[in-house]
Amino acid sequence: MVKTAAKMVASAVVAGALAGSAHGEVFFKETFEDEAWRDRWVDSTWKGDSMGTWEWSAGEWFGDADKDKGIRTKDRARFYGISSKLDKPFSNKDQDLVVQFSVKNEGRTNSFCGGGYIKLMGSDIDQASFGGDTPYKVMFGPDLCGYDVSRIHTIFNYKGENLLKKDDIKLEYGDKNEFTHLYTLHVKPDNTYTVYLDLNEKSSGSLPEGWDMPSMTIDDPEDSKPSDWVEEPMMLDPDDVKPEGYDDIPAEIVDPEAAKPEDWDDEDDGEWEAPMIPNPEFKGPWVQKKISNPDYKGPWKPKQLPNPDYDAEAYAFDDIGAVGFELWVVDNGSIFDNIFVGNDLDEAFAFAKETFEVTKDAEKAVKDEIDAKKEEEAKAAAAAAGEDVEEDDYAEDDEPDEEAEFIPDAEIAVEKEL
């Protein structure tokens, strides 16, 4: 029954995906659907016995047992390294670069900890020793560890230095559940980029603005702000004046309803004084109103000049000849699949419609059936044992526990050399 439901969903999505077409050059594509994937990929041994094992698996639940197979991290708290060379190295100079792949982190993810990024490398890579010190061109994909680290890493190697994005591309709670998610990076020859999550735009802009690269323009050192330049958007209203006698109103007054107690003895208790209460007439310190400044010209900025250090080819990489995953994971069970490297975003999205969109809908249908069956079995078992069953007793709690203990090993993932 589970397989039937999944295949119905998958067939519907595939039919829609095949209705369109795209054109572009594909430099690398991997679906891991056949056992020959082992001939195309080489395991790294750079950390010796600390290396984890990659297994060929669709995971614990899936829509299609064959099409949903990918490479899965089998062991906990291990380093992972695996790479595959392109049939022909290429340069993305004067053309778009599109990198896309999917990751499925099975299980509860509110405390999941593990890297999930792909690397593009040169054709001269030593695959057996592929590790953290291996030079790369681009590193892209999710980086998750508890609540502190939750982002889409996008790192470019620029003139020998690995540049992190100035601000993180944050992953929200709904972006990091146990289902398959698709990550797409699109870099254009005009030095702009777009990052997509599940085919939806997540971040975009220019490379110089997002990374520490030379900007297109610089401030004119000879330009200075005019002395009459007004940068204050608001000004005090000259027609608003303090009302006469405003400061004479006290903050407190004697309580008019207070009365001296009958048993009060001035000789023993001292002279009686009525208590003070807030004055309802008191309006607080007077503040002059503000109005829009008619002379406001906005923040002053110096004139811009062309930057002689601007690199119009910051986006470009020569000899892109291999792809690979070099990771540290605390939690196992991550499945990597459907890798695409090409020069056409439409081609990448067409591939995603044939793979990711089929997978995500099918696996969701299967997982819902599995969860519903488990819940019914748990309720039946509890009823047979004579226990009271609350409706929510067996509902999976997907909300993060704010007081959950952070995984100690997470520091390794954060501090690990990029």
Side-chain angles (χ1 to χ4, degrees):
M1 175 183 274
V2 170
K3 277 194 173 181
T4 301
K7 288 183 177 179
M8 289 175 64
V9 174
S11 299
V13 178
V14 169
L18 295 179
S21 62
H23 302 282
E25 188 170 359
V26 179
F27 305 113
F28 184 88
K29 185 185 288 187
E30 177 64 81
T31 61
F32 298 103
E33 288 187 17
D34 60 275
E35 294 186 18
W37 75 270
R38 263 296 172 195
D39 299 330
R40 301 187 292 270
W41 291 79
V42 176
D43 288 301
S44 171
T45 59
W46 77 292
K47 283 290 184 178
D49 293 339
S50 296
M51 299 298 293
T53 301
W54 294 96
E55 61 179 355
W56 187 40
S57 172
E60 297 178 7
W61 41 268
F62 42 81
D64 188 299
D66 295 322
K67 291 186 177 181
D68 290 351
K69 278 185 177 179
I71 51 173
R72 182 177 185 269
T73 54
K74 182 179 180 181
D75 309 306
R76 296 187 75 255
R78 289 289 187 273
F79 291 92
Y80 282 86
I82 194 169
S83 62
S84 179
K85 286 193 173 184
L86 279 60
D87 291 336
K88 181 181 178 181
F90 74 98
S91 169
N92 68 309
K93 184 178 179 180
D94 298 327
Q95 62 178 328
D96 290 8
L97 173 64
V98 182
V99 183
Q100 180 175 276
F101 68 104
S102 67
V103 185
K104 173 186 176 185
N105 297 318
E106 289 188 336
R108 299 294 298 276
T109 58
N110 57 349
S111 61
F112 177 87
C113 187
Y117 29 79
I118 196 169
K119 290 182 176 181
L120 301 187
M121 296 158 292
S123 59
D124 59 348
I125 176 179
D126 181 350
Q127 292 179 272
S129 62
F130 169 42
D133 295 330
T134 302
Y136 61 85
K137 321 284 185 176
V138 178
M139 182 173 123
F140 171 68
D143 185 24
L144 303 171
C145 206
Y147 303 111
D148 287 3
V149 179
S150 184
R151 60 191 171 184
I152 301 177
H153 251 326
T154 310
I155 301 175
F156 297 103
N157 184 282
Y158 181 70
K159 294 186 176 181
E161 183 178 357
N162 296 330
L163 301 182
L164 281 78
K165 196 171 185 303
K166 294 176 183 177
D167 59 316
D168 283 345
I169 302 175
K170 294 290 187 182
L171 284 168
E172 306 303 326
Y173 181 72
D175 299 335
K176 49 185 180 177
N177 53 33
E178 69 270 38
F179 296 107
T180 297
H181 289 286
L182 185 76
Y183 300 86
T184 309
L185 170 64
H186 183 199
V187 180
K188 297 182 179 181
D190 61 357
N191 274 343
T192 62
Y193 80 97
T194 305
V195 169
Y196 298 89
L197 174 65
D198 298 342
L199 301 177
N200 297 309
E201 183 176 318
K202 192 72 173 176
S203 178
S204 63
S206 75
L207 298 184
E209 290 177 1
W211 288 261
D212 191 15
M213 301 176 183
S215 60
M216 183 177 293
T217 62
I218 56 174
D219 295 344
D220 182 351
E222 297 182 2
D223 190 24
S224 59
K225 183 169 66 174
S227 58
D228 61 346
W229 190 275
V230 178
E231 290 187 302
E232 292 74 28
M234 304 295 290
M235 59 176 285
L236 296 175
D237 184 356
D239 295 329
D240 185 33
V241 295
K242 185 191 299 184
E244 187 175 347
Y246 189 96
D247 291 337
D248 298 332
I249 302 174
E252 293 183 325
I253 60 173
V254 174
D255 184 354
E257 297 183 2
K260 182 178 179 180
E262 294 182 0
D263 59 349
W264 188 274
D265 189 319
D266 289 345
E267 191 171 314
D268 293 335
D269 301 326
E271 183 178 354
W272 180 81
E273 294 182 0
M276 304 294 287
I277 60 172
N279 185 356
E281 302 294 329
F282 181 68
K283 300 179 181 180
W286 183 79
V287 178
Q288 190 174 6
K289 294 179 182 178
K290 286 190 174 184
I291 58 174
S292 298
N293 191 340
D295 297 324
Y296 175 63
K297 297 183 179 181
W300 181 82
K301 295 181 179 179
K303 295 177 182 178
Q304 296 295 293
L305 299 176
N307 185 355
D309 296 325
Y310 175 68
D311 186 356
E313 298 181 357
Y315 73 93
F317 300 96
D318 293 326
D319 187 34
I320 299 175
V323 302
F325 297 97
E326 182 274 307
L327 313 167
W328 162 261
V329 303
V330 173
D331 297 295
N332 62 332
S334 295
I335 301 173
F336 299 85
D337 200 3
N338 297 320
I339 305 167
F340 176 99
V341 181
N343 64 1
D344 189 287
L345 184 64
D346 290 338
E347 186 81 25
F349 278 11
F351 179 56
K353 290 179 183 296
E354 299 170 359
T355 54
F356 165 69
E357 289 202 344
V358 177
T359 296
K360 74 179 180 68
D361 292 329
E363 72 181 12
K364 180 67 165 59
V366 171
K367 185 66 161 58
D368 287 346
E369 285 194 40
I370 291 174
D371 290 345
K373 184 177 180 180
K374 286 182 178 179
E375 184 174 341
E376 288 302 317
E377 291 175 348
K379 287 180 179 180
E387 300 175 1
D388 292 331
V389 181
E390 295 292 337
E391 191 66 29
D392 294 330
D393 280 354
Y394 302 100
E396 184 174 359
D397 179 15
D398 287 330
E399 293 301 318
D401 180 3
E402 296 298 335
E403 297 182 358
E405 182 179 358
F406 189 75
I407 300 176
D409 302 65
E411 296 179 7
I412 303 177
V414 176
E415 295 175 359
K416 183 173 173 291
E417 183 177 353
L418 297 173

